[in-house]
Amino acid sequence: MNEVFIAPSILAADFATLGDDLKEISKECSFLHLDIMDGHFVPNLSFGIPVVETLRKHTDLIFDTHLMVDEPKMFIKPFIDAGSDYVTFHVECTDEPFELINEIRSYGKKAGIAIHPYTPIEKIYPFTKKGAVDLILVMSVVPGFGGQSFMAAAKGRLIEVRNRLDKNGSEALLSVDGGIKDTTIKDAVSSGARLIVSGSSVFGKSDKAEAIRNLKNLSYQALNE
Ligand code: DX5
Ligand code: ZN
């Protein structure tokens, strides 16, 4: 699949102006990335169910919810009820990933699985089988904070996953998250990522729509090189 989507992450947003900012970015993108942190799996807290519920009333963007929590099972239903379209949990946080995928899909929603940069990439290979999952998220920073630098090792990890998805005929979206900006996005796309999460490089800019247009242009350049 050669379409590239940008998923702005509101972790970097100004929450006081977020309603207006969502209107602005909706002209340029269809996904919104929502980072949920529990203070255990990652050493930080972000926002929770009521915030997602409120945002749902203000936008039709596809909610790409990234659960950085030790007990994802506890939060699947609440975040789906709050309006999530994709729910992605970490492979490190459960012994029963396929049960969780089935549960998410049983609500008619898309299931994603994420991998921490220090987890051996082989852990994600079972999910590259055709139909196993709807999204695979390869983290390109240690999860927990926005504004970090892209880890170059993510490129090789994305390529491994991309090759397996293609070989298996899987249509799962390959996502990348962390440190994506104008100088790194082409590497991420040429390594096979198609859903590109970006926090500070969108919400940290004064013209957010322009920032997304710029990232999209660079993505298509990478696809055509
Ligand atoms: C990090 C989060 C990311 C974060 C990305 O734990 O999962 O989604 O918002 O932020 P930037 O794009 O600033 O690296
Ligand atoms: Zn994220």
Side-chain angles (χ1 to χ4, degrees), residues 152-168:
K155 288 187 276 178
R157 291 162 67 84
L158 284 165
I159 290 168
E160 290 294 341
V161 177
R162 174 84 271 155
N163 287 343
R164 283 172 172 76
L165 290 171
D166 292 346
K167 189 166 98 315
N168 296 337

Side-chain angles (χ1 to χ4, degrees), residues 166-223:
D166 292 346
K167 189 166 98 315
N168 296 337
S170 169
E171 288 171 9
L173 262 176
L174 180 53
S175 187
V176 64
D177 183 6
I180 296 292
K181 50 185 180 177
D182 49 4
T183 52
T184 54
I185 192 165
K186 288 172 93 172
D187 276 347
V189 172
S190 60
S191 303
R194 295 294 178 266
L195 179 66
I196 314 293
V197 178
S198 180
S200 24
S201 293
V202 173
F203 283 105
K205 298 280 163 71
S206 52
D207 189 338
K208 292 151 191 73
E210 170 61 20
I212 297 171
R213 276 195 297 277
N214 180 40
L215 292 173
K216 281 197 291 193
N217 284 340
L218 291 166
S219 302
Y220 285 104
Q221 281 174 27
L223 282 181

Side-chain angles (χ1 to χ4, degrees), residues 52-100:
V52 177
E53 226 165 43
T54 304
L55 290 173
R56 186 71 290 171
K57 295 181 190 142
H58 292 276
T59 177
D60 293 328
L61 287 164
I62 299 166
F63 281 1
D64 168 32
T65 300
H66 176 193
L67 297 180
M68 283 164 276
V69 302
D70 262 342
E71 294 203 53
K73 188 170 174 46
M74 199 196 296
F75 294 106
I76 287 172
K77 178 89 167 42
F79 278 104
I80 284 176
D81 288 344
S84 299
D85 299 292
Y86 282 73
V87 176
T88 296
F89 60 89
H90 270 261
V91 69
E92 300 84 10
C93 297
T94 177
D95 294 329
E96 46 179 33
F98 288 103
E99 281 83 345
L100 298 192

Side-chain angles (χ1 to χ4, degrees), residues 78-165:
F79 278 104
I80 284 176
D81 288 344
S84 299
D85 299 292
Y86 282 73
V87 176
T88 296
F89 60 89
H90 270 261
V91 69
E92 300 84 10
C93 297
T94 177
D95 294 329
E96 46 179 33
F98 288 103
E99 281 83 345
L100 298 192
I101 291 167
N102 286 340
E103 183 185 343
I104 295 165
R105 287 176 162 173
S106 75
Y107 303 122
K109 302 299 175 186
K110 306 277 193 193
I113 190 140
I115 184 160
H116 187 287
Y118 297 153
T119 300
I121 196 66
E122 292 76 17
K123 283 262 182 204
I124 214 78
Y125 293 166
F127 306 93
T128 62
K129 294 207 181 98
K130 189 177 167 71
V133 77
D134 303 296
L135 181 155
I136 293 181
L137 173 55
V138 173
M139 292 299 301
S140 41
V141 295
V142 173
F145 298 90
Q148 303 178 73
S149 298
F150 181 82
M151 298 168 78
K155 288 187 276 178
R157 291 162 67 84
L158 284 165
I159 290 168
E160 290 294 341
V161 177
R162 174 84 271 155
N163 287 343
R164 283 172 172 76
L165 290 171

